[in-house]
Amino acid sequence: MGCIEQLNYEIIDKHISFKEAADYITKNCPEIYEVNPGFKLFDKAIIGIPPVRIGIDGDIITFPFTKPCHGTFLLRVSDAAEADLVRRKAKNIKY
């Protein structure tokens, strides 16, 4: 994956803080994982204030994505392989 724009994503919110993204994930996702900034999701390094929360609901991944100069977005993408990667490599804090 070279560019996040190539994904079939849904923007849940935009121009939000990392705390707002984490709060949304905590309230709305049945599985929650934490990663450090630099964790690669869709071959892109996650930017954020550690720990960065990622939510999973089945194969749907909800995560903050920061585009320098454009701010932080909260995205939702359905991808079974990436959901499995998060489950295997990230720290599970809620299942």
Side-chain angles (χ1 to χ4, degrees), residues 24 36 52 57 93:
Y24 178 91
N36 286 319
V52 178
D57 186 357
I93 62 167

Side-chain angles (χ1 to χ4, degrees), residues 69-80:
C69 300
H70 295 280
T72 299
F73 297 77
L74 188 61
L75 302 181
R76 181 181 293 148
V77 177
S78 180
D79 189 300

Side-chain angles (χ1 to χ4, degrees), residues 18-33:
F18 294 115
K19 181 180 182 329
E20 290 169 326
D23 288 347
Y24 178 91
I25 289 168
T26 299
K27 291 177 186 170
N28 295 286
C29 298
E31 292 178 59
I32 301 171
Y33 296 84

